[in-house]
């Protein structure tokens, strides 16, 4: 009995204490503090995390993809939205995925990209903002409202896109932000 009492006392004294607020998941915000308001989270930080969780297997951590299988994102005309490839095409690729042959930076790829429409508009905008600002890409951020508009406009599309379908759509850019 004395050993049990001593053991319990020892653990109670040396346990470091228990604070409910540390374990209350609803009381902890992104910054690790309590339930007080915090600064908005940088979309590039969220985008990098989502990219690492969902995209890095195919497109690689350096955005170079896998030759002949998965296209590069670094320097890609699809990511940087050149004259033929609008920001709408990039959003549609994320929402519904892609299947069949595709040409990126002069290389041919013929693999499937899964759809990511289960992600929120904020999450898709964050991933796209991240890839458009990494690996030498210098494109503007994608706004969640633009993603929401594209999602709504193509809500009936259930199959992955083909390059021919995307190229048949006129390229569209999001409106410049109001100052």
């Amino acid at each position: 009995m004395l050993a049990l009492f001593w053991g319990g006392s020892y653990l109670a004294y040396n346990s470091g204490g228990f604070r409910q607020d540390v374990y209350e998941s609803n009381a902890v915000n992104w910054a690790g503090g309590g339930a007080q308001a915090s600064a908005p989270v940088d979309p590039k930080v969220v985008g990098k995390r989502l990219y690492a969780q969902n995209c890095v297997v195919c497109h690689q951590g350096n955005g170079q993809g896998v030759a002949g299988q998965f296209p590069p994102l670094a320097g890609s005309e699809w990511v940087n939205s050149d004259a033929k490839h609008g920001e709408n095409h990039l959003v549609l690729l994320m929402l519904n995925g892609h299947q069949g042959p595709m040409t990126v930076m002069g290389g041919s790829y013929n693999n499937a990209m899964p759809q990511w429409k289960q992600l929120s508009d904020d999450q898709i905008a964050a991933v796209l903002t991240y890839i458009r600002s990494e690996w030498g890409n210098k494109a503007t951020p994608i706004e969640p409202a633009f993603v929401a508009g594209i999602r709504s406009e193509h809500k009936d599309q259930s199959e992955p896109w083909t390059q021919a379908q995307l190229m048949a759509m006129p390229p569209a850019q999001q409106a410049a932000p109001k100052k």
Side-chain angles (χ1 to χ4, degrees):
M1 286 298 271
L2 186 59
L4 282 174
F5 178 76
W6 180 84
S9 297
Y10 178 84
L11 287 174
Y13 182 75
N14 293 301
S15 70
F18 177 80
R19 288 185 27 213
Q20 179 64 30
D21 62 328
V22 173
Y23 301 99
E24 179 83 38
S25 62
N26 294 333
V28 179
N29 66 18
W30 283 59
Q36 73 274 10
S38 64
V41 178
D42 183 356
K44 286 191 224 177
V45 173
V46 174
K48 183 175 184 176
R49 179 179 49 84
L50 289 166
Y51 180 86
Q53 291 172 345
N54 301 299
C55 312
V56 78
V57 172
C58 299
H59 297 290
Q60 305 300 297
N62 60 6
Q64 294 300 317
V66 176
Q69 294 182 349
F70 304 108
L73 302 176
S76 167
E77 65 273 21
W78 291 86
V79 172
N80 291 303
S81 302
D82 70 4
K84 295 186 304 186
H85 304 87
E87 292 169 342
N88 60 328
H89 297 158
L90 187 59
V91 171
L92 291 168
L93 280 170
M94 278 287 293
L95 287 171
N96 288 89
H98 180 272
Q99 68 181 14
M102 181 176 215
T103 303
V104 179
M105 297 173 55
S108 295
Y109 300 89
N110 192 1
N111 219 322
M113 177 175 162
Q115 63 181 357
W116 295 103
K117 63 172 61 174
Q118 72 274 17
L119 297 178
S120 71
D121 297 334
D122 287 332
Q123 290 172 318
I124 289 175
V127 171
L128 296 178
T129 295
Y130 170 71
I131 67 170
R132 288 168 58 92
S133 65
E134 281 295 305
W135 316 299
N137 294 331
K138 303 275 188 237
T140 58
I142 297 291
E143 297 296 326
F146 183 70
V147 175
I150 298 295
R151 185 191 300 261
S152 174
E153 184 180 341
H154 297 277
K155 65 181 177 273
D156 295 332
Q157 176 73 17
S158 59
E159 297 297 316
W161 297 102
T162 65
Q163 181 171 341
Q165 288 173 313
L166 290 170
M167 297 310 293
M169 290 180 219
Q173 312 303 346
Q174 60 189 340
K178 295 179 182 178
K179 295 181 181 182

